Amino acid sequence: MLRKRQLRREGRKTPVWAALVFSQLRTGLASAKMQLSVVPRVKAVKRKTLSASAAKLQLLKRLRCTLKYEKKAWEVGAKLVAGVDEVGRGSLFGPVVAAAVILDPGYRLRGLRDSKLLLPERREVLAERIREHAVAIAVAAVDAARIDQINIYHASRLAMREAIRLLEPAPDYLLVDAMRVECDLQQTPIIHGDALSASIAAASIVAKVERDRMICEWDPVFPVYGLASNKGYSTPRHLAALREHGPSPLHRQSFAPVWNAPVPQEVLAFMLEEEESSGVDRLDSELAAG
C-alpha cells in the first residue's frame, strides 16, 4: 500500500503486477476476516477418565444375555447344558461361592443378566424363579482358610468343580464364565459369560444370592466391619475397621488389605475355649501316662 501511494505522489502509473498483488492482498485479508467472523468458538471439553470397574460396568450393560451359546450346544447333541459361575473372588471376607444351573429349554426365564447389574431385590426374585423352573441347581463354597492355602483362582475353580459334581441330573455340556474347569465334560469358556449366556447369568444370580445370605449371617458376629452392606468387599468403612480392629478369623489372610492391618487378628471366644479344652485334655493324658 505504501509503495502504491508513493507512486501516485510521484505521478507515476502503478505497474500491472503491483496492482494484481495489491488486489490479491485485499481479497485475502477480507476472506480471512470473514472466516474468523463465522468460525464459532469451541470450548475445550474435559473427558472424565473412567475407573476400570466403571468401564467394565458400561461394557456389561451393552451386552445382551441370550440362549445363543446354549442353542449351539443343543445343536451338537447336548441335552443338559449347565451354566457355571462364581462370586466373591474380590471379597476380603468369607468364602468364594459357585453355582451350576441347568435351565429348562422349554421355559424362558425373562430378565436374566449379570448379577452385578441387578438390584438385590430383583436378584432375589429371579433366584426364586430360577429355583422353581430350572432342571437342576447346585451351589458349592470354598472357605477363607482354603483360599489362603491354594489362592483365590484355584479356590474359584474348586468351587465350580464341586458345584458341577453336585448337579442332579448330571450335565453333558458346560458353559463357564471366563475359565476352563478341570473335568471330562465338553465345555465352552465365555468371556463376560454372565452377561452373554442365560445359563451362566442364572448361575451368577443363584451364587450371588446364596453368598450374600451367608455373609449377612456373620454380620451380627462381626458388626464392626459392616458385612451386611459391603458383603466383605473393600469399602472405606471395611478398610477403616480392619485398620482399627484388625481382621477376623474369617478374613482372607492372603489378601493385602487384611495382612497389612496393623492390629493382630481377632480370635473368637469359642476358639479360645476349644484351645483351653484341648490343653486340659492333653495335660490329663500326660499325667495319666506318667
Side-chain angles (χ1 to χ4, degrees):
M1 293 294 288
L2 292 173
R3 173 64 177 165
K4 189 174 181 181
R5 288 173 184 170
Q6 185 179 359
L7 289 171
R8 283 178 179 174
R9 283 198 298 269
E10 293 175 358
R12 286 187 291 168
K13 190 175 180 181
T14 304
V16 175
W17 63 267
L20 290 172
V21 170
F22 295 144
S23 174
Q24 288 176 359
L25 283 172
R26 283 196 300 270
T27 305
L29 287 171
S31 176
K33 288 179 180 178
M34 186 178 296
Q35 289 177 5
L36 286 172
S37 64
V38 298
V39 173
R41 292 184 179 180
V42 180
K43 291 184 178 179
V45 179
K46 290 185 179 179
R47 292 186 178 181
K48 286 186 177 180
T49 304
L50 292 175
S51 64
S53 58
K56 183 179 178 180
L57 280 176
Q58 281 196 357
L59 169 64
L60 293 177
K61 288 176 181 178
R62 290 197 295 267
L63 300 178
R64 291 185 63 238
C65 190
T66 67
L67 290 171
K68 170 185 173 182
Y69 295 94
E70 286 81 354
K71 288 176 180 177
K72 286 183 177 180
W74 294 330
E75 287 169 1
V76 297
K79 301 296 182 184
L80 299 170
V81 180
V84 188
D85 198 10
E86 52 71 32
V87 296
R89 285 183 71 169
S91 177
L92 306 178
F93 178 96
V96 59
V97 176
V101 176
I102 302 175
L103 293 178
D104 182 354
Y107 185 87
R108 184 178 178 184
L109 274 165
R110 297 184 181 275
L112 294 177
R113 62 189 312 198
D114 184 353
S115 62
K116 294 185 290 295
L117 303 177
L118 297 169
L119 294 173
E121 299 79 12
R122 183 60 179 162
R123 281 198 299 264
E124 293 281 352
V125 171
L126 285 171
E128 188 60 33
R129 289 182 184 171
I130 293 166
R131 291 186 180 279
E132 287 176 6
H133 300 287
V135 174
I137 291 175
V139 178
V142 174
D143 63 24
R146 188 68 172 144
I147 291 169
D148 291 334
Q149 289 175 349
I150 63 176
N151 80 41
I152 186 60
Y153 174 75
H154 291 296
S156 299
R157 295 180 70 190
L158 177 60
M160 286 181 168
R161 193 163 68 246
E162 184 64 12
I164 295 165
R165 187 186 69 81
L166 293 172
L167 276 176
E168 185 62 41
D172 56 11
Y173 197 101
L174 302 178
L175 299 175
V176 189
D177 184 36
M179 66 172 69
R180 187 170 289 277
V181 181
E182 293 176 356
C183 67
D184 297 331
L185 293 171
Q186 189 175 357
Q187 58 189 280
T188 300
I190 306 170
I191 303 297
H192 302 313
D194 45 6
L196 293 169
S197 160
S199 297
I200 299 177
S204 170
I205 292 167
V206 170
K208 175 66 174 168
V209 169
E210 180 62 21
R211 186 179 186 277
D212 285 358
R213 181 192 62 75
M214 295 167 65
I215 300 302
C216 286
E217 287 180 353
W218 284 105
D219 185 63
V221 182
F222 306 110
V224 296
Y225 303 109
L227 298 173
S229 59
N230 60 46
K231 305 303 184 290
Y233 287 90
S234 303
T235 62
R237 177 186 172 183
H238 192 178
L239 296 175
L242 282 171
R243 289 191 295 269
E244 183 177 353
H245 303 284
S248 75
L250 299 185
H251 275 89
R252 301 173 184 177
Q253 308 302 317
S254 56
F255 281 44
V258 178
W259 58 257
N260 276 336
V263 181
Q265 183 189 62
E266 180 184 344
V267 179
L268 291 176
F270 72 83
M271 292 181 171
L272 291 174
E273 290 171 4
E274 288 179 0
E275 188 175 338
E276 289 174 1
S277 176
S278 62
V280 169
D281 292 341
R282 191 164 51 247
L283 180 59
D284 288 344
S285 299
E286 291 173 356
L287 291 173

